[in-house]
Amino acid sequence: MDLEKSFNPKHIENHWYSQWESAGYFKPATDENRSAYCIMLPPPNVTGTLHMGHAFQHTLMDALTRYHRMRGYNTLWQPGTDHAGIATQIVVERQLDQQNLKRQQMGRETFLERVWQWKEESGSTITRQMRRMGTSCDWTRERFTMDDGLSRAVTEVFVRLYREGLIYRGKRLVNWDPVLQTAVSDLEVVATEENGSLWHIRYPLEHADDSGTEQTNALIVATTRPETMLGDVAVAVHPDDPRYQHLVGRHLRLPLCERTIPIIADSYVDLEFGTGCVKITPAHDFNDYLVAQRHHLVPINIFTLDAKINDLAPVEYQGMDRFDARKRIIADLDAQGFLVETKPHKLMAPRGDRTHTIIEPMLTDQWYVAMDSLAKRGLEAVAEGEIKFTPDNWTHVYNQWLENIQDWCISRQLWWGHRIPAWYDEDGNVTVAHNLEEAQKLSGSSNLKQDDDVLDTWFSSALWPFSTLGWPDETPELKTFLPTSVLITGFDIIFFWVARMVMMSLHFTNKIPFKEVYITGLIRDAEGQKMSKSKGNVLDPLDLIDGITLPDLIAKRTTGLMNPKQAESIEKNTRKHFPEGIQAFGTDALRFTFASLASHGRDIKFDLQRCEGYRNFCNKLWNATRFVLMNCESKDTGLDESLPLSYSAADQWMISRLQQAEQRIELAFTQYRFDLLAREIYEMVWDEYCDWYVELAKVQLNSQQDSIHRATRRTLVRVLEAILRLAHPIIPFITEELWQKIAPLAGKQGASIMCQPYPIANTTKINQQSIEDILLLKEIINACRNLRGEMKLSPALKVPLLAVGDSQILTDYSPYLLALAKLSSIEIQAGGLPAADAPVAIVRDFKLMLRIEINVEAERERLSKEITRIQAEVSKAQTKLSNPSFVKQAPATVVTQEKERLVTFNKKLDDLTIQLKKLN
């Protein structure tokens, strides 16, 4: 036997992955007669590194891919990365900053050369890390959204949509990042609760009656952004508000500005909020923009693209930064008697996820896709059952967004990305074409300038399911793998990615992009908290695989932080969450943990203790394999069918349980219940095979009959070999290593477990009688063990068992009972159990008693002392839990642990009290 004594995950992981990849096992088959199965990897950002969400979703995708590959499907897991327009440009510009260079100084072409250089040197970090997770993508087909082929697809889609009238250019309100100076998507805007102020400002009525009250002479408007009042075009009140109905149509003098604005009535206004008067600034608020459109009001943009006050505002504020202008405006309002009051106010501030600056709604010229007709087809595909969401509740979310869809802003004011294929002549006339030559031919002009903007990254991502397969060419891959089988992704990009892929695929290929969408939950820490660097609870999947000491973990998290206070906070929180660092669990244990957590819920609590439990599982499987090798290697394992085999009830039970597990696992894969299939594998290996069958097999291997030995060894190796194939999609490395050793003993041949057929249940092998027989045997053994525990018997002490019940069953079971219950003998009592102080166990029609002399007085004394000790523990736990400050301030895990201790102590106290009563 050449299997190492202990399981060393790092050694086998490094060895097997390179073997798999170099052998080409990840490539799809060329057999056209096979059913196709395809998963598209949601392309991670080229700037990214592997995080817990990636590792979790990739585990599920890989499990499905390996499973279907072993089921004989023509299987493709299509990998690739996204060019991540904004993120990548920021990374490279920050590098240039260190050299005192600006991209504007370099020029567009030189800057883009620098970005491509960075991509080649540093842009493959995440794909290298994915290999550590065992992902079996076909890396020979790896794609990048800026590859020539995918770029060609992007241009083709843009040109076709434009010529179909579905792409247009217009001035509309967008999310604007003043630092990046580009439009950004909603996904790139993070709303954070912050402390702010609510300023109440007096807007005087034009031609007000000096004898009137304050209410009739002015309207009071509340705002959190007083600088935007310079762009006000109206004040709105609710049409049913009796306080202001008589004022609708009148005009107000806009404070600090030499103009008047109308009072309008609109149901957008909340009657109950504030004063019931809302300033309307359509150029700088999305809701106000819609109100202005309904009332035909012309927006006034008072910001430059870098968020300074422009020349449409009063001269004294022009050129000022928006927040400096806010201070000046507040002071001027106060000095001129327009500021009524200032109140503290909690608000949700929209910040850019990359720059953390406040995002401004900004009126700019952008390119848009008209979405109505595209959305209609997307809705129909789901309504008609062509696409199914799991869990089903996400169908409603998908439908709701498409039913209320807005036109999609697809242009970005960046240099890195797919440049918009539109050219302008000297008069500003636009020509959309595949290239410059075509544009010149169509426009009749040789003096053309290409649009400076690039396309939103989500535009190229929306084409991912078919562009990666070679579209617009009619490739064999496109014919074979579209529609793909399932998309696995998070709920947060149903709108930005999932829905857009559906619409684009239907429009350009007349096929759905995928048949099913499995929406996963979010990974949180063990207490349900969102993982964040500041909280110190972030986990790096590679740290879990390789392990990391506390000092190295702290250094990793605080290196590069410019703020010493922030570094101190992160170090403190890291010590709190990981006081002993993180031990190495290996890839298989981490993958098993992810699978076990993948229920159909939204939030997933990741607990390191579960990782430790699955590392122990891997050790258990390893040690069981060592036992099988020691007892079966170079011995008869029943491969010669001509020799007799005597299968015991235990053998038939183990074979039956294997078939049941195969049935349940197949169903779990079908329903995306990775948690259930992980549990089935765990229970099958740990509880049934290792804890029971191996122990029963030891008894059988001590038999004198060769046919029993042969059947036992055959069952040991064949069931273990099937278990390894069952578990391979979840834990690929350890199963490959062990399969290589076990397969020859089971009569299996092949270069890799990956190429073996996945086990399929054979229901004719389910022997119900053997299942019932072994269930009874297990109950009797457990009862005997419980009796030993009650009587505090040493594990080394063998004692006689007195039993009443079916003598034939007891005789048949006796070899197993003697070994597994540590009995010296079994005495079948025809006339009933003798009167004694010893406890009695009842199992169905059987009564069991261990015959042992008990010093009643000494046992009473022992039990009394133990009861006194447990009562003290109960009292201590109750005192803690009755203390409100403990329950409120202690971590939730500590409180839960204390409650569990109290339950355990109370149970133990009840058991001890019953024992003492028996002795009395």
Side-chain angles (χ1 to χ4, degrees), residues 661-672:
E662 290 168 355
Q663 283 181 312
R664 293 167 187 166
I665 288 170
E666 182 179 2
L667 180 62
F669 266 119
T670 302
Q671 298 176 338
Y672 304 108

Side-chain angles (χ1 to χ4, degrees), residues 381 386-387 482-484 502 505-506 509-515:
E386 293 182 80
I387 300 173
L482 192 73
T484 64
V502 173
S505 185
L506 285 168
T509 71
N510 210 30
K511 293 181 180 179
I512 54 172
F514 27 72
K515 298 167 188 171

Side-chain angles (χ1 to χ4, degrees), residues 791 793 797 799-800 802 836 838-839 849-855:
M791 300 171 76
L793 298 182
L797 179 63
V799 296
L802 306 181
M849 176 191 288
L850 297 180
R851 185 164 67 187
I852 184 169
E853 295 298 326
I854 298 176
N855 184 329

Side-chain angles (χ1 to χ4, degrees), residues 122-135:
S122 307
S124 302
T125 300
I126 194 166
T127 54
R128 290 195 298 270
Q129 292 172 330
M130 284 174 63
R131 288 171 164 86
R132 292 294 313 279
M133 286 296 299
T135 51

Side-chain angles (χ1 to χ4, degrees), residues 363 438 503 689 780 853:
L363 270 177
E438 184 185 20
M503 291 184 283
Y689 188 81
I780 293 174
E853 295 298 326

Side-chain angles (χ1 to χ4, degrees), residues 151 195 246 290 319 427 594 601 632 659 844 863 868 894:
S151 295
N195 292 320
H246 64 290
L290 297 175
D427 297 325
F594 282 133
C632 299
Q659 310 313 310
R844 303 191 198 179
L863 288 172
T868 301
V894 174

